Amino acid sequence: MGLVVFNEVMGNSVLVVGGGGREHAISLGLKESMNVSELHIAPGNAGTALIGNNHQINISNVDEVVELVKELDVDLVIVGPEGPLVNGLSEKLNHIDVLCFGPFSSGANLEGSKEFAKDVMMMLNIPTAASIRIESIEQAEELIDGFGPIWVIKRDVLAGGKGVTVTEDKEDALAAISEGISLDGFVLIEEFLEGEEASMLVVMDESSYVCLPASQDHKRVGEGDTGPNTGGMGAYAPAPIVTESVKNKVIQRIIEPMHNWLSTQEDLYRGCLYVGLMINEYGDPYVVEFNVRFGDPETQVTIPLISSDLYDLFAFTAEGKLSELNVEFHQKHALTVVLASEGYPSKPKTNRIITGLNSENKDVIIHHAGTKLNSEGEITSSGGRVLAITGISNSLSEAARLSYSSLENIGLEGSHFRKDIGHRSL
Ligand code: AMP
Ligand code: GLY
Protein backbone atom coordinates (compact mmCIF):
# COMPACT_ATOMS: atom_id res chain seq x y z
CA MET A 1 0.00 0.00 0.00
CA GLY A 2 1.24 3.54 -0.75
CA LEU A 3 1.88 6.15 1.89
CA VAL A 4 -1.29 7.72 3.32
CA VAL A 5 -0.87 11.51 3.37
CA PHE A 6 -3.54 13.99 4.56
CA ASN A 7 -2.30 17.55 4.54
CA GLU A 8 1.00 17.78 2.80
CA VAL A 9 1.37 21.55 2.86
CA MET A 10 1.25 22.48 6.52
CA GLY A 11 1.02 19.23 8.46
CA ASN A 12 3.43 17.27 10.58
CA SER A 13 4.45 13.66 10.47
CA VAL A 14 3.35 11.72 13.55
CA LEU A 15 4.16 8.24 14.82
CA VAL A 16 1.89 6.48 17.31
CA VAL A 17 3.66 3.64 19.12
CA GLY A 18 1.47 0.67 20.05
CA GLY A 19 -1.16 -1.54 18.51
CA GLY A 20 -4.24 -1.69 20.74
CA GLY A 21 -7.60 0.01 21.08
CA ARG A 22 -5.94 2.96 22.80
CA GLU A 23 -3.65 3.56 19.83
CA HIS A 24 -6.54 3.25 17.37
CA ALA A 25 -8.45 5.88 19.40
CA ILE A 26 -5.43 8.20 19.44
CA SER A 27 -4.90 7.70 15.70
CA LEU A 28 -8.56 8.43 14.91
CA GLY A 29 -8.28 11.65 16.90
CA LEU A 30 -5.09 12.70 15.11
CA LYS A 31 -6.62 11.95 11.73
CA GLU A 32 -9.11 14.77 12.44
CA SER A 33 -6.32 17.30 12.94
CA MET A 34 -5.38 19.79 10.21
CA ASN A 35 -1.88 19.74 11.67
CA VAL A 36 -1.15 16.14 10.75
CA SER A 37 0.14 15.30 7.29
CA GLU A 38 1.36 11.75 7.76
CA LEU A 39 0.14 9.28 10.34
CA HIS A 40 2.31 6.28 11.15
CA ILE A 41 1.59 3.54 13.65
CA ALA A 42 3.99 0.88 14.95
CA PRO A 43 2.90 -1.86 14.91
CA GLY A 44 -0.78 -0.80 14.72
CA ASN A 45 -3.67 -3.12 13.96
CA ALA A 46 -6.24 -3.67 11.20
CA GLY A 47 -8.09 -0.51 12.32
CA THR A 48 -5.08 1.79 12.14
CA ALA A 49 -4.11 0.27 8.76
CA LEU A 50 -7.29 1.82 7.36
CA ILE A 51 -6.35 5.37 8.38
CA GLY A 52 -2.55 5.43 8.46
CA ASN A 53 0.65 3.57 7.73
CA ASN A 54 1.43 0.54 9.90
CA HIS A 55 5.04 -0.50 10.50
CA GLN A 56 5.74 -4.00 11.78
CA ILE A 57 8.59 -3.46 14.20
CA ASN A 58 9.31 -4.76 17.69
CA ILE A 59 8.44 -1.75 19.85
CA SER A 60 9.97 -3.19 23.02
CA ASN A 61 13.31 -2.69 21.30
CA VAL A 62 13.45 1.11 21.51
CA ASP A 63 16.38 1.31 19.10
CA GLU A 64 14.11 -0.13 16.41
CA VAL A 65 11.60 2.64 17.13
CA VAL A 66 14.32 5.30 16.96
CA GLU A 67 15.51 3.91 13.62
CA LEU A 68 11.97 4.07 12.24
CA VAL A 69 11.56 7.65 13.47
CA LYS A 70 14.74 8.67 11.65
CA GLU A 71 13.79 6.80 8.50
CA LEU A 72 10.32 8.41 8.36
CA ASP A 73 11.55 11.83 9.48
CA VAL A 74 8.82 12.00 12.13
CA ASP A 75 8.12 15.29 13.99
CA LEU A 76 6.20 13.91 16.96
CA VAL A 77 6.02 10.48 18.61
CA ILE A 78 3.12 9.51 20.88
CA VAL A 79 3.86 6.47 22.99
CA GLY A 80 0.83 4.33 23.88
CA PRO A 81 2.10 1.52 26.12
CA GLU A 82 4.39 1.78 29.16
CA GLY A 83 7.02 -0.72 28.00
CA PRO A 84 8.92 1.51 25.56
CA LEU A 85 8.82 4.39 28.10
CA VAL A 86 10.25 2.23 30.87
CA ASN A 87 12.88 1.14 28.33
CA GLY A 88 13.95 4.74 27.72
CA LEU A 89 12.35 5.64 24.39
CA SER A 90 11.49 9.19 25.43
CA GLU A 91 15.04 10.21 26.35
CA LYS A 92 16.43 8.60 23.22
CA LEU A 93 14.05 10.68 21.09
CA ASN A 94 14.90 13.79 23.09
CA HIS A 95 18.55 13.10 22.34
CA ILE A 96 17.89 13.32 18.59
CA ASP A 97 15.57 16.36 19.00
CA VAL A 98 12.32 14.58 18.15
CA LEU A 99 9.26 15.57 20.19
CA CYS A 100 7.87 12.77 22.33
CA PHE A 101 4.60 12.53 24.26
CA GLY A 102 5.54 10.23 27.12
CA PRO A 103 7.90 10.62 30.10
CA PHE A 104 11.56 9.70 30.46
CA SER A 105 12.25 6.29 32.00
CA SER A 106 12.79 7.64 35.53
CA GLY A 107 9.21 9.00 35.53
CA ALA A 108 7.93 5.86 33.78
CA ASN A 109 9.24 3.95 36.76
CA LEU A 110 6.14 5.17 38.64
CA GLU A 111 4.39 2.43 36.69
CA GLY A 112 7.40 0.16 36.20
CA SER A 113 7.84 -0.29 39.95
CA LYS A 114 4.94 -0.21 42.38
CA GLU A 115 7.46 -0.03 45.21
CA PHE A 116 8.99 3.15 43.74
CA ALA A 117 5.51 4.65 43.30
CA LYS A 118 4.74 3.89 46.96
CA ASP A 119 7.99 5.54 48.06
CA VAL A 120 7.15 8.69 46.08
CA MET A 121 3.63 8.79 47.52
CA MET A 122 4.98 8.36 51.06
CA MET A 123 7.44 11.19 50.46
CA LEU A 124 4.73 13.51 49.14
CA ASN A 125 2.11 12.44 51.69
CA ILE A 126 -0.29 11.26 48.98
CA PRO A 127 -3.15 9.03 50.21
CA THR A 128 -2.69 5.38 49.22
CA ALA A 129 -2.89 1.88 50.72
CA ALA A 130 -0.17 0.84 53.16
CA SER A 131 2.04 -1.85 51.69
CA ILE A 132 4.92 -4.10 52.66
CA ARG A 133 7.56 -6.03 50.75
CA ILE A 134 7.57 -9.78 51.40
CA GLU A 135 10.58 -11.89 50.49
CA SER A 136 9.82 -15.26 52.06
CA ILE A 137 6.81 -17.41 52.80
CA GLU A 138 7.77 -17.45 56.51
CA GLN A 139 7.62 -13.65 56.59
CA ALA A 140 4.27 -13.82 54.77
CA GLU A 141 2.81 -16.26 57.30
CA GLU A 142 3.91 -14.00 60.13
CA LEU A 143 2.45 -10.79 58.67
CA ILE A 144 -0.51 -11.89 56.59
CA ASP A 145 -3.18 -11.65 59.31
CA GLY A 146 -2.32 -7.99 59.84
CA PHE A 147 -3.38 -7.21 56.25
CA GLY A 148 -6.58 -9.19 55.65
CA PRO A 149 -9.01 -10.57 54.89
CA ILE A 150 -9.37 -9.21 52.13
CA TRP A 151 -5.78 -9.63 50.83
CA VAL A 152 -4.20 -7.70 47.99
CA ILE A 153 -1.02 -9.29 46.62
CA LYS A 154 0.97 -7.47 43.91
CA ARG A 155 3.91 -8.55 41.83
CA ASP A 156 6.25 -5.60 41.21
CA VAL A 157 6.45 -6.16 37.45
CA LEU A 158 4.70 -4.84 34.37
CA ALA A 159 1.91 -7.41 34.05
CA GLY A 160 -0.79 -5.62 32.06
CA GLY A 161 -3.16 -5.42 35.06
CA LYS A 162 -2.80 -9.15 35.66
CA GLY A 163 -0.10 -9.14 38.34
CA VAL A 164 -2.55 -8.43 41.16
CA THR A 165 -4.49 -10.94 43.29
CA VAL A 166 -7.37 -9.72 45.43
CA THR A 167 -8.80 -12.52 47.55
CA GLU A 168 -10.72 -13.32 50.74
CA ASP A 169 -9.14 -16.77 50.88
CA LYS A 170 -5.94 -16.97 52.93
CA GLU A 171 -4.76 -20.10 51.08
CA ASP A 172 -5.15 -18.30 47.73
CA ALA A 173 -3.30 -15.29 49.12
CA LEU A 174 -0.42 -17.47 50.32
CA ALA A 175 -0.36 -19.28 46.96
CA ALA A 176 -0.12 -15.94 45.11
CA ILE A 177 2.65 -14.82 47.47
CA SER A 178 4.57 -18.02 46.98
CA GLU A 179 4.21 -17.87 43.19
CA GLY A 180 5.25 -14.20 43.10
CA ILE A 181 8.32 -14.85 45.27
CA SER A 182 9.38 -17.77 43.09
CA LEU A 183 9.04 -15.62 39.94
CA ASP A 184 10.44 -12.28 41.12
CA GLY A 185 12.08 -12.84 44.53
CA PHE A 186 9.44 -10.76 46.37
CA VAL A 187 5.85 -9.50 46.33
CA LEU A 188 4.00 -6.60 47.92
CA ILE A 189 1.10 -7.12 50.31
CA GLU A 190 -1.17 -4.12 50.35
CA GLU A 191 -3.97 -2.92 52.57
CA PHE A 192 -7.38 -3.50 50.91
CA LEU A 193 -9.10 -0.26 49.97
CA GLU A 194 -12.91 -0.10 50.08
CA GLY A 195 -14.83 2.05 47.64
CA GLU A 196 -15.44 2.71 44.00
CA GLU A 197 -12.70 2.98 41.39
CA ALA A 198 -12.18 5.73 38.82
CA SER A 199 -9.41 6.71 36.44
CA MET A 200 -8.14 10.28 36.05
CA LEU A 201 -5.98 10.81 33.00
CA VAL A 202 -3.91 13.93 33.47
CA VAL A 203 -1.94 15.38 30.58
CA MET A 204 1.08 17.20 31.96
CA ASP A 205 4.40 18.85 31.37
CA GLU A 206 6.46 21.08 33.64
CA SER A 207 4.43 24.17 32.67
CA SER A 208 0.93 22.90 33.48
CA TYR A 209 -1.49 19.99 33.63
CA VAL A 210 -4.97 19.28 32.23
CA CYS A 211 -7.37 16.74 33.78
CA LEU A 212 -9.31 14.85 31.13
CA PRO A 213 -12.89 13.74 31.95
CA ALA A 214 -12.74 11.06 34.66
CA SER A 215 -13.65 7.57 33.55
CA GLN A 216 -14.44 4.21 35.08
CA ASP A 217 -12.96 0.94 33.87
CA HIS A 218 -14.30 -2.58 34.58
CA LYS A 219 -11.27 -4.69 35.39
CA ARG A 220 -12.85 -8.05 36.22
CA VAL A 221 -13.71 -10.36 33.36
CA GLY A 222 -17.22 -11.21 34.56
CA GLU A 223 -20.48 -9.38 35.15
CA GLY A 224 -21.00 -7.90 38.60
CA ASP A 225 -17.20 -7.50 38.86
CA THR A 226 -16.46 -11.20 39.25
CA GLY A 227 -13.68 -13.47 37.98
CA PRO A 228 -10.04 -12.66 37.31
CA ASN A 229 -8.61 -9.21 36.61
CA THR A 230 -8.09 -8.23 32.97
CA GLY A 231 -6.61 -5.24 31.17
CA GLY A 232 -10.15 -3.77 31.24
CA MET A 233 -13.47 -5.00 29.81
CA GLY A 234 -15.19 -1.68 29.22
CA ALA A 235 -15.30 1.92 30.38
CA TYR A 236 -17.35 5.09 30.36
CA ALA A 237 -16.80 8.79 30.87
CA PRO A 238 -17.47 11.11 32.55
CA ALA A 239 -17.70 8.99 35.71
CA PRO A 240 -20.28 10.58 38.08
CA ILE A 241 -18.44 9.20 41.13
CA VAL A 242 -15.89 11.95 40.47
CA THR A 243 -18.05 14.87 41.54
CA GLU A 244 -16.64 18.41 41.60
CA SER A 245 -15.85 17.94 45.28
CA VAL A 246 -14.04 14.62 44.69
CA LYS A 247 -12.19 16.11 41.73
CA ASN A 248 -11.01 19.03 43.86
CA LYS A 249 -9.68 16.63 46.49
CA VAL A 250 -7.91 14.58 43.81
CA ILE A 251 -6.29 17.72 42.45
CA GLN A 252 -5.30 19.10 45.83
CA ARG A 253 -4.12 15.87 47.48
CA ILE A 254 -2.71 13.94 44.52
CA ILE A 255 -2.25 15.81 41.25
CA GLU A 256 -0.80 19.07 42.56
CA PRO A 257 1.87 17.35 44.69
CA MET A 258 2.73 14.95 41.86
CA HIS A 259 2.90 17.77 39.32
CA ASN A 260 5.02 19.95 41.58
CA TRP A 261 7.41 17.10 42.23
CA LEU A 262 7.62 15.87 38.63
CA SER A 263 8.19 19.38 37.29
CA THR A 264 11.20 19.90 39.50
CA GLN A 265 12.90 16.67 38.39
CA GLU A 266 15.74 16.98 35.92
CA ASP A 267 14.19 14.30 33.70
CA LEU A 268 11.20 15.42 31.67
CA TYR A 269 7.68 14.26 32.45
CA ARG A 270 5.77 15.32 29.35
CA GLY A 271 2.88 12.97 28.76
CA CYS A 272 -0.04 11.44 30.62
CA LEU A 273 -0.15 10.55 34.29
CA TYR A 274 -2.93 8.01 34.80
CA VAL A 275 -4.15 8.14 38.36
CA GLY A 276 -6.02 4.96 39.33
CA LEU A 277 -8.26 5.96 42.22
CA MET A 278 -10.32 4.31 44.94
CA ILE A 279 -12.94 6.72 46.27
CA ASN A 280 -14.34 5.80 49.67
CA GLU A 281 -17.82 6.41 51.05
CA TYR A 282 -16.82 9.87 52.30
CA GLY A 283 -15.59 10.90 48.85
CA ASP A 284 -11.94 10.67 49.88
CA PRO A 285 -9.65 9.53 47.06
CA TYR A 286 -6.78 7.05 47.45
CA VAL A 287 -4.26 6.11 44.76
CA VAL A 288 -4.49 2.45 43.71
CA GLU A 289 -1.83 2.85 41.04
CA PHE A 290 -0.08 5.29 38.77
CA ASN A 291 0.36 4.56 35.10
CA VAL A 292 2.52 6.74 32.89
CA ARG A 293 0.37 6.55 29.77
CA PHE A 294 -3.23 6.65 28.67
CA GLY A 295 -5.48 3.82 29.88
CA ASP A 296 -6.95 1.14 27.70
CA PRO A 297 -9.98 1.11 27.35
CA GLU A 298 -10.28 4.51 29.12
CA THR A 299 -8.75 6.28 26.11
CA GLN A 300 -11.53 5.04 23.85
CA VAL A 301 -14.06 7.00 25.97
CA THR A 302 -11.84 9.98 26.71
CA ILE A 303 -10.34 11.04 23.38
CA PRO A 304 -13.77 11.35 21.70
CA LEU A 305 -14.76 13.84 24.43
CA ILE A 306 -11.87 16.22 23.64
CA SER A 307 -13.05 18.93 21.26
CA SER A 308 -9.69 20.70 20.94
CA ASP A 309 -7.18 19.71 18.28
CA LEU A 310 -5.50 16.51 19.45
CA TYR A 311 -2.22 17.14 17.64
CA ASP A 312 -1.92 20.46 19.49
CA LEU A 313 -2.56 18.78 22.83
CA PHE A 314 0.21 16.24 22.24
CA ALA A 315 2.65 18.62 20.58
CA PHE A 316 2.30 21.47 23.12
CA THR A 317 2.83 18.95 25.93
CA ALA A 318 5.83 17.37 24.22
CA GLU A 319 7.32 20.87 23.81
CA GLY A 320 6.74 21.73 27.47
CA LYS A 321 4.30 24.56 26.71
CA LEU A 322 0.96 23.07 27.70
CA SER A 323 0.24 26.23 29.75
CA GLU A 324 -0.18 28.09 26.43
CA LEU A 325 -3.02 25.82 25.29
CA ASN A 326 -6.70 26.02 26.16
CA VAL A 327 -8.15 22.49 26.08
CA GLU A 328 -11.89 22.09 25.57
CA PHE A 329 -14.31 19.18 25.84
CA HIS A 330 -17.64 18.05 24.40
CA GLN A 331 -20.42 17.93 26.98
CA LYS A 332 -21.22 14.33 26.02
CA HIS A 333 -21.02 10.80 27.36
CA ALA A 334 -19.04 7.91 25.94
CA LEU A 335 -19.24 4.22 26.81
CA THR A 336 -17.17 1.40 25.38
CA VAL A 337 -17.62 -2.37 25.60
CA VAL A 338 -14.66 -4.65 24.99
CA LEU A 339 -15.19 -7.75 22.86
CA ALA A 340 -12.69 -10.37 24.05
CA SER A 341 -11.45 -13.61 22.51
CA GLU A 342 -12.58 -17.01 23.77
CA GLY A 343 -10.38 -17.92 26.74
CA TYR A 344 -9.38 -14.33 27.64
CA PRO A 345 -7.74 -13.47 30.04
CA SER A 346 -5.98 -16.80 30.71
CA LYS A 347 -5.59 -18.38 27.23
CA PRO A 348 -7.10 -16.29 24.43
CA LYS A 349 -7.78 -18.08 21.16
CA THR A 350 -6.79 -15.96 18.16
CA ASN A 351 -6.71 -16.01 14.34
CA ARG A 352 -10.48 -16.12 13.97
CA ILE A 353 -12.35 -14.11 11.34
CA ILE A 354 -14.32 -11.08 12.55
CA THR A 355 -17.44 -9.98 10.68
CA GLY A 356 -19.85 -7.04 10.87
CA LEU A 357 -17.26 -4.33 11.42
CA ASN A 358 -18.89 -1.63 9.32
CA SER A 359 -21.00 0.76 11.34
CA GLU A 360 -22.91 3.47 9.47
CA ASN A 361 -23.68 5.33 12.69
CA LYS A 362 -21.35 8.30 13.24
CA ASP A 363 -22.00 8.11 17.00
CA VAL A 364 -20.49 4.64 17.14
CA ILE A 365 -16.74 4.04 16.87
CA ILE A 366 -15.52 0.50 16.36
CA HIS A 367 -12.12 0.67 18.01
CA HIS A 368 -9.84 -2.12 16.89
CA ALA A 369 -7.52 -3.68 19.48
CA GLY A 370 -6.21 -7.21 18.79
CA THR A 371 -7.01 -7.33 15.07
CA LYS A 372 -4.95 -7.91 11.96
CA LEU A 373 -5.41 -8.39 8.24
CA ASN A 374 -4.67 -11.91 7.03
CA SER A 375 -3.18 -12.73 3.62
CA GLU A 376 -6.68 -12.97 2.12
CA GLY A 377 -7.46 -9.43 3.28
CA GLU A 378 -9.84 -10.63 6.01
CA ILE A 379 -9.79 -9.07 9.47
CA THR A 380 -8.93 -11.64 12.13
CA SER A 381 -8.41 -11.64 15.89
CA SER A 382 -4.83 -11.41 17.11
CA GLY A 383 -5.09 -10.76 20.84
CA GLY A 384 -7.15 -11.15 24.00
CA ARG A 385 -9.05 -7.91 23.72
CA VAL A 386 -10.18 -7.70 20.09
CA LEU A 387 -12.45 -4.68 19.76
CA ALA A 388 -13.87 -1.87 21.88
CA ILE A 389 -17.26 -0.73 20.63
CA THR A 390 -17.80 2.87 21.68
CA GLY A 391 -21.07 4.79 21.72
CA ILE A 392 -21.14 8.59 22.10
CA SER A 393 -24.26 10.49 23.04
CA ASN A 394 -25.87 13.19 25.15
CA SER A 395 -26.71 10.61 27.82
CA LEU A 396 -24.84 7.65 29.25
CA SER A 397 -27.81 5.31 28.72
CA GLU A 398 -27.99 6.20 25.03
CA ALA A 399 -24.22 5.76 24.67
CA ALA A 400 -24.63 2.28 26.20
CA ARG A 401 -27.53 1.45 23.90
CA LEU A 402 -25.52 2.51 20.84
CA SER A 403 -22.56 0.40 21.86
CA TYR A 404 -24.54 -2.74 22.71
CA SER A 405 -26.74 -2.58 19.62
CA SER A 406 -23.65 -2.31 17.38
CA LEU A 407 -22.11 -5.29 19.14
CA GLU A 408 -25.03 -7.43 18.03
CA ASN A 409 -23.88 -7.13 14.41
CA ILE A 410 -20.34 -8.30 15.11
CA GLY A 411 -19.40 -11.93 14.67
CA LEU A 412 -16.38 -13.59 16.30
CA GLU A 413 -16.55 -17.26 17.27
CA GLY A 414 -16.29 -17.90 21.01
CA SER A 415 -15.98 -14.20 21.89
CA HIS A 416 -17.41 -12.71 25.07
CA PHE A 417 -18.19 -9.31 26.55
CA ARG A 418 -19.67 -7.91 29.74
CA LYS A 419 -23.32 -6.95 29.51
CA ASP A 420 -23.18 -4.58 32.49
CA ILE A 421 -20.68 -1.89 31.47
CA GLY A 422 -21.68 1.34 33.21
CA HIS A 423 -23.84 -0.51 35.77
CA ARG A 424 -22.75 1.71 38.66
CA SER A 425 -24.08 4.81 36.93
CA LEU A 426 -26.96 3.55 34.80
P1 AMP B 1 -3.37 -2.41 39.88
O1 AMP B 1 -2.68 -3.18 38.81
O2 AMP B 1 -2.51 -1.99 41.01
O3 AMP B 1 -4.20 -1.31 39.33
O4 AMP B 1 -4.50 -3.39 40.44
C1 AMP B 1 -5.49 -3.96 39.61
C2 AMP B 1 -6.83 -3.91 40.28
O5 AMP B 1 -6.79 -4.60 41.53
C3 AMP B 1 -7.28 -2.51 40.64
O6 AMP B 1 -7.89 -1.88 39.57
C4 AMP B 1 -8.25 -2.79 41.76
O7 AMP B 1 -9.50 -3.23 41.25
C5 AMP B 1 -7.61 -3.93 42.47
N1 AMP B 1 -6.78 -3.42 43.57
C6 AMP B 1 -5.46 -3.13 43.51
N2 AMP B 1 -5.01 -2.66 44.68
C7 AMP B 1 -6.06 -2.64 45.51
C8 AMP B 1 -6.24 -2.27 46.89
N3 AMP B 1 -5.22 -1.86 47.63
N4 AMP B 1 -7.46 -2.37 47.41
C9 AMP B 1 -8.51 -2.81 46.68
N5 AMP B 1 -8.41 -3.20 45.39
C10 AMP B 1 -7.21 -3.12 44.81
N1 GLY C 1 -7.49 -0.03 31.92
C1 GLY C 1 -6.42 -0.07 32.82
C2 GLY C 1 -5.14 0.37 32.31
O1 GLY C 1 -5.02 0.88 31.22
O2 GLY C 1 -4.15 0.22 33.03
Side-chain angles (χ1 to χ4, degrees):
M1 198 171 81
L3 187 69
V4 181
V5 176
F6 312 131
N7 182 354
E8 222 166 342
V9 186
M10 55 185 286
N12 299 281
S13 173
V14 182
L15 171 69
V16 178
V17 176
R22 166 183 53 208
E23 289 76 18
H24 191 205
I26 290 171
S27 302
L28 285 167
L30 287 169
K31 185 177 156 273
E32 299 296 308
S33 170
M34 285 297 289
N35 296 314
V36 176
S37 60
E38 284 177 40
L39 180 58
H40 300 278
I41 309 96
N45 56 34
T48 63
L50 295 172
I51 55 168
N53 310 280
N54 281 1
H55 301 271
Q56 296 309 315
I57 60 164
N58 171 16
I59 59 167
S60 43
N61 180 347
V62 294
D63 292 328
E64 270 190 50
V65 183
V66 172
E67 277 316 303
L68 182 69
V69 166
K70 288 186 190 158
E71 193 185 305
L72 298 170
D73 198 13
V74 163
D75 302 303
L76 169 68
V77 178
I78 295 143
V79 187
E82 61 282 6
L85 296 169
V86 173
N87 292 342
L89 178 57
S90 186
E91 52 263 42
K92 288 209 169 171
L93 292 172
N94 183 267
H95 197 68
I96 57 166
D97 286 327
V98 173
L99 292 176
C100 177
F101 183 92
F104 281 19
S105 57
S106 50
N109 211 21
L110 286 170
E111 176 167 359
S113 166
K114 290 180 188 293
E115 216 177 19
F116 172 66
K118 285 282 177 201
D119 289 346
V120 171
M121 285 187 269
M122 291 271 277
M123 178 180 76
L124 300 174
N125 222 352
I126 288 175
T128 186
S131 102
I132 184 166
R133 178 188 173 107
I134 300 284
E135 294 178 1
S136 72
I137 202 73
E138 293 74 32
Q139 195 192 358
E141 277 164 353
E142 198 178 302
L143 297 171
I144 193 160
D145 289 328
F147 276 86
I150 303 167
W151 288 279
V152 180
I153 315 297
K154 294 188 177 180
R155 291 180 57 202
D156 199 12
V157 293
L158 289 177
K162 287 160 237 158
V164 177
T165 305
V166 181
T167 178
E168 289 178 48
D169 184 310
K170 195 164 160 181
E171 293 308 309
D172 287 351
L174 286 166
I177 293 170
S178 154
E179 192 192 340
I181 292 175
S182 68
L183 290 167
D184 314 318
F186 73 99
V187 292
L188 304 174
I189 306 187
E190 201 171 285
E191 172 198 4
F192 177 76
L193 296 170
E194 302 265 4
E196 193 172 326
E197 284 183 78
S199 309
M200 281 278 275
L201 308 186
V202 188
V203 173
M204 64 167 72
D205 65 12
E206 62 276 26
S207 76
S208 187
Y209 64 84
V210 175
C211 298
L212 304 183
S215 51
Q216 191 168 62
D217 187 12
H218 300 61
K219 296 225 166 115
R220 301 287 189 124
V221 73
E223 270 133 44
D225 298 321
T226 53
N229 264 321
T230 68
M233 293 298 291
Y236 63 98
I241 175 81
V242 183
T243 57
E244 268 312 294
S245 147
V246 170
K247 185 177 169 184
N248 288 337
K249 290 184 201 172
V250 174
I251 289 176
Q252 204 187 341
R253 299 177 191 175
I254 301 165
I255 296 169
E256 283 276 346
M258 282 306 286
H259 182 250
N260 288 340
W261 180 70
L262 286 167
S263 10
T264 54
Q265 302 304 295
E266 202 172 309
D267 288 347
L268 299 175
Y269 199 106
R270 296 176 175 174
C272 179
L273 181 69
Y274 166 132
V275 186
L277 293 165
M278 189 70 81
I279 297 151
N280 73 10
E281 58 180 318
Y282 309 105
D284 288 320
Y286 290 78
V287 176
V288 176
E289 61 168 342
F290 286 129
N291 294 323
V292 297
R293 48 159 178 87
F294 283 100
D296 189 339
E298 289 94 329
T299 305
Q300 291 86 315
V301 292
T302 306
I303 297 272
L305 299 183
I306 301 175
S307 55
S308 302
D309 185 286
L310 204 60
Y311 174 86
D312 282 347
L313 178 62
F314 292 135
F316 274 64
T317 308
E319 285 179 81
K321 52 177 204 185
L322 182 57
S323 59
E324 295 172 29
L325 194 70
N326 183 27
V327 184
E328 292 181 349
F329 302 95
H330 297 292
Q331 298 306 311
K332 292 206 171 214
H333 298 258
L335 182 143
T336 196
V337 181
V338 168
L339 185 75
S341 293
E342 179 178 353
Y344 179 76
S346 53
K347 283 202 185 81
K349 297 210 164 78
T350 56
N351 290 315
R352 292 182 176 170
I353 292 173
I354 312 163
T355 57
L357 288 171
N358 293 322
S359 168
E360 299 294 308
N361 191 331
K362 65 170 182 26
D363 295 325
V364 174
I365 308 172
I366 298 185
H367 287 113
H368 285 238
T371 68
K372 65 169 199 268
L373 282 172
N374 70 12
S375 49
E376 275 96 63
E378 294 159 321
I379 296 180
T380 61
S381 58
S382 64
R385 293 188 292 172
V386 181
L387 300 167
I389 318 298
T390 309
I392 296 151
S393 184
N394 289 328
S395 74
L396 183 62
S397 55
E398 179 59 11
R401 195 195 64 75
L402 286 168
S403 168
Y404 280 110
S405 63
S406 304
L407 251 171
E408 282 170 19
N409 303 324
I410 293 173
L412 171 62
E413 188 197 332
S415 60
H416 59 99
F417 60 89
R418 274 182 63 165
K419 297 180 187 65
D420 64 346
I421 301 303
H423 67 98
R424 284 199 179 76
S425 301
L426 282 168

